[in-house]
Amino acid sequence: MLFPRGDGDGWARCAAGHRHWGLFGAAGLLVRSGGAVLLQHRAEWSHHGGTWGILGGARHRAESAAAAAAREAAEEAGLDPADYTVTGESVDDHGGWSYTTVLAHAVERVTLTALTAETLAVAWVPVDEVTALPLHPGFAATWPALRSR
Ligand SMILES: [Zn+2]
């Protein structure tokens, strides 16, 4: 399946001077099911390649974080919004750019397949084993706070 290039695709610079993907910010979906969370292993050639993080990406203009996270999770792993319930949001605001983690709960750990070239794998990772993985720096920074939620 082909998806149109989003109007939010592009690099932005936040007030802290970092370079971030997503002209209108970015959003990701942190799905928890029992004692595991759904993570994406990012392709080596991608930004912060080889690391693990959550499914997500650039928001489109005027697109809510929840809609963007759901769209990216469907594109990248075929995750059906019917398979999870959104329970909250956590915003990491860098000033001029923000990353919103959309928190969700899934009753079942549905089997998913990596659908995009930038996704090596998607897996349900036990919460206790997350920090043993090489994590995407953005996800690594927010994980301790997210874990407690
Ligand atoms: Zn930043």
Side-chain angles (χ1 to χ4, degrees):
M1 206 182 322
L2 283 174
F3 292 93
R5 184 178 160 86
D7 63 5
D9 286 356
W11 294 100
R13 197 169 287 277
C14 72
H18 313 132
R19 203 168 68 110
H20 296 287
W21 183 253
L23 298 176
F24 309 112
L29 190 67
L30 180 61
V31 188
R32 182 171 181 145
S33 182
V37 289
L38 183 63
L39 297 183
Q40 173 199 42
H41 194 193
R42 305 160 65 87
E44 294 293 341
W45 54 264
S46 69
H47 193 47
H48 298 301
T51 61
W52 291 76
I54 55 177
L55 295 165
R59 290 166 66 169
H60 294 170
R61 186 188 303 270
E63 183 182 43
S64 73
R71 175 178 51 73
E72 291 283 345
E75 289 176 11
E76 293 173 339
L79 184 61
D80 185 338
D83 287 334
Y84 59 88
T85 304
V86 172
T87 57
E89 288 186 358
S90 174
V91 180
D92 187 16
D93 191 348
H94 290 217
W97 189 90
S98 67
Y99 189 96
T100 302
T101 302
V102 176
L103 304 163
H105 175 258
V107 174
E108 277 185 62
R109 293 178 201 177
V110 289
T111 301
L112 299 166
T113 308
L115 297 179
T116 61
E118 70 193 58
T119 308
L120 285 179
V122 281
W124 292 98
V125 177
V127 168
D128 291 341
E129 295 173 19
V130 169
T131 55
L133 297 171
L135 299 179
H136 182 278
F139 178 60
T142 54
W143 170 246
L146 296 170
R147 178 182 180 159
S148 64
R149 294 182 60 177

